[in-house]
Amino acid sequence: MTHRVLILGGTTEARQLAGRLAARADLSLTLSLAGRTVDPVAQPVPVRSGGFGGAEGLAQYLHDERVDLLIDATHPYAANISRNAAEASTLSRVPILALRRPGWEAVEGDRWTLVENAEEAVATLGEKPRRVFLALGRQEIAAFEGAPQHAYVIRSVDPVEPPLTVPNATYILARGPFAEADERELLASRRIDAIVAKNSGGAATYGKIAAARELGIEVILFRRPDLPQVPHAKSVAELAGLVDHWLAPAEKRGV
């Protein structure tokens, strides 16, 4: 029997998980992407792009498509999507599993300041002009227009449109992973003295954190948002194991 699985993705782990589960003949997979990235990387399974219309819309989709299992493998900061997924699971009675990538932990030599949001990050930068590396999504960058005294280096997957209305901003289009040596060269050559980023966890973007530690650069990190309590795993392999565990009783029940 084939079980229908919807993966809410947009992360490297979601793509890896989809590829791993696609090898199973007893699963029919769909990977859902928010559609914010202009040129997303190729995916190993059929893709659905765009929102659902909140928790109720997602619950209706799960019902209409006869989805048997929902997997939340979205970004650690996609808290609204995770909350909607948990609520949709309750409304539709479709079981949910989540991939919760652990955050980075500060070690000796790190100069971290934790903030709640972009506005607090702007305040933390202070009034004195600084050279700031912004490694954030397009949604958060606009707040830095309130601090035009700083010189910004902004890295994103897609172009920042419209550009910031500040006198000194440089844009870099790039998609991770980023090696530590390359990040060190970038930070040193641009004379960066502060980084603003999210505590995304994982290895793909940790290079800038390690490089900042070595160069003595302050890192202003957004705190992790609170996410709903659902059955979860910390890695692709661990989550694949949870799927195996879910399938075993389903097969015994004849579901």
Side-chain angles (χ1 to χ4, degrees), residues 113-129:
T113 302
L114 302 181
V115 298
E116 294 295 333
N117 50 42
E119 289 74 21
E120 191 172 328
V122 170
T124 301
L125 285 172
E127 294 299 323
K128 182 180 177 181

Side-chain angles (χ1 to χ4, degrees), residues 168-250:
N168 192 341
T170 302
Y171 298 90
I172 300 173
L173 292 180
R175 190 194 304 270
F178 303 104
E180 179 182 342
D182 295 335
E183 296 290 70
R184 187 167 55 249
E185 169 62 25
L186 171 66
L187 297 174
S189 64
R190 303 279 183 170
R191 296 180 289 113
I192 299 299
D193 55 51
I195 296 173
V196 183
K198 295 178 179 178
N199 186 350
S200 298
T205 58
Y206 186 71
K208 64 179 175 290
I209 304 298
R213 181 189 311 127
E214 182 176 335
L215 296 171
I217 295 173
E218 180 184 10
V219 178
I220 300 171
L221 280 181
F222 288 23
R223 287 189 178 90
R224 285 285 188 102
D226 292 329
L227 299 176
Q229 293 300 311
V230 301
H232 63 275
K234 295 180 179 180
S235 68
V236 170
E238 187 181 341
L239 187 53
L242 290 183
V243 173
D244 288 339
H245 183 73
W246 170 77
L247 282 169

